[in-house]
Amino acid sequence: MPTKWDFVNLPHSWNAIDGQDGDNDYYRGTCYYAKELSKGNLPEADKYYLEFQGANSSADVYVNGKKLAHHDGGYSTWRVDVTDALEYNNVIVVAVDNAANDTVYPQMADFTFFGGIYRNVNLIVTNHIHFDLDYYGGPGVTVTPVVEGDVAKVTVQSYVTNYNNEDINVDVFDAQGNVVFSKRQKALTCEFEIKNPHLWNGVKDPYLYRAEVSIVKDSFILDNKEIDFGIRSFSIDPQKGFILNGVPTPLRGVSRHQ
């Protein structure tokens, strides 16, 4: 490693000053982040993942000089399995590039393309059997409610790596913590109904249910996730615009740039 580094805390952008001086001459190119990490300080686990919640706009990840991943896109979560590359003492280097390219959009805009690891980075440790961390950067569980009259039909879909017929336990709570559904089954898809659900209604009433989903083997929890979700219906009509829960709802707002 080079001997001279600037010490920074994440989240970080190298355009914090030149990106907002109004001259449009801010640096767009590659910068490097490095961290020394001892595996002896980590919990014992079967798998180790680095999770990047946002690195703008393209990035390469190296562990002990070995390139493990390339990612294009600065506005989404992505993860890297670093298990096999870890030694006792490790050097992790992330090359982040905010130069214009043909892969990441938009190509041009009226805002600064701030370069850097500008959201948090997490180290995730998991069991060999776990909710899929490679499934589009998501939590490995999706909750899909569909409103039909006074009933919400809810599908909880689990995506599990190395699944071997373990039990999937699903508990659903309302905003007050009351149990509205509970089931333990040997299937990755769980479907159920909630009668007379409390609908999510935007800023007027942002009511959320919570699903707790676990992978269970015997009495041991291998992995678990908590997913907040709102129950609502929506559609778009050419004449009436956006319709939320059967009511035309104008959408008004401003752009919030990264």
Side-chain angles (χ1 to χ4, degrees):
M1 289 177 58
T3 57
K4 185 180 182 305
W5 290 84
D6 291 322
F7 289 90
V8 300
N9 293 317
L10 299 181
H12 172 266
S13 172
W14 59 75
N15 299 123
I17 296 176
D18 65 359
Q20 51 188 339
D21 61 8
D23 290 338
N24 199 33
D25 59 351
Y26 62 97
Y27 176 74
R28 298 191 67 178
T30 302
C31 287
Y32 297 86
Y33 295 85
K35 183 175 179 63
E36 295 180 330
L37 182 68
S38 173
K39 191 175 182 181
N41 295 328
L42 303 179
E44 290 189 10
D46 295 329
K47 288 286 186 178
Y48 297 86
Y49 281 83
L50 283 177
E51 177 184 76
F52 296 86
Q53 296 184 348
N56 201 38
S57 48
S58 296
D60 295 292
V61 177
Y62 302 83
V63 176
N64 300 322
K66 180 180 179 180
K67 182 177 178 179
L68 298 186
H70 174 83
H71 183 266
D72 291 310
Y75 311 115
S76 59
T77 297
W78 51 286
R79 304 184 183 101
V80 183
D81 184 348
V82 299
T83 308
D84 294 338
L86 288 179
E87 302 171 2
Y88 188 81
N89 293 310
N90 304 276
V91 177
I92 299 171
V93 176
V94 184
V96 185
D97 185 1
N98 69 331
N101 64 61
D102 294 331
T103 303
V104 180
Y105 283 83
Q107 297 292 305
M108 56 188 303
D110 62 346
F111 58 86
T112 299
F113 294 86
F114 287 96
I117 303 177
Y118 72 101
R119 293 178 183 161
N120 289 331
V121 176
N122 299 312
L123 178 66
I124 301 175
V125 297
T126 74
N127 191 283
H128 178 65
I129 301 169
H130 58 271
F131 289 110
D132 193 351
L133 295 173
D134 297 309
Y135 188 72
Y136 298 104
V141 177
T142 60
V143 180
T144 306
V146 177
V147 179
E148 295 183 1
D150 60 354
V151 173
K153 295 184 177 181
V154 183
T155 301
V156 177
Q157 180 68 48
S158 299
Y159 303 87
V160 179
T161 299
N162 299 316
Y163 180 65
N164 190 29
N165 207 37
E166 289 78 18
D167 289 346
I168 304 296
N169 190 78
V170 178
D171 294 313
V172 179
F173 303 86
D174 62 18
Q176 290 72 43
N178 302 308
V179 178
V180 297
F181 176 80
S182 182
K183 187 176 183 180
R184 180 167 170 170
Q185 62 180 36
K186 291 185 180 297
L188 297 177
T189 302
C190 181
E191 298 177 331
F192 57 93
E193 294 183 353
I194 298 177
K195 295 182 179 180
N196 300 310
H198 190 140
L199 299 182
W200 181 90
N201 195 30
V203 296
K204 294 180 181 179
D205 187 9
Y207 189 95
L208 295 177
Y209 290 83
R210 184 178 82 257
E212 295 184 1
V213 188
S214 304
I215 307 170
V216 183
K217 185 174 183 179
D218 299 325
S219 59
F220 184 70
I221 297 177
L222 302 178
D223 199 2
N224 68 290
K225 297 290 182 181
E226 293 188 8
I227 309 293
D228 293 326
F229 67 98
I231 297 176
R232 76 286 180 268
S233 65
F234 63 92
S235 61
I236 297 177
D237 183 271
Q239 280 74 44
K240 298 179 180 180
F242 180 74
I243 299 174
L244 177 65
N245 299 327
V247 179
T249 305
L251 297 179
R252 300 189 181 97
V254 296
S255 295
R256 184 185 179 190
H257 294 150
Q258 293 296 119

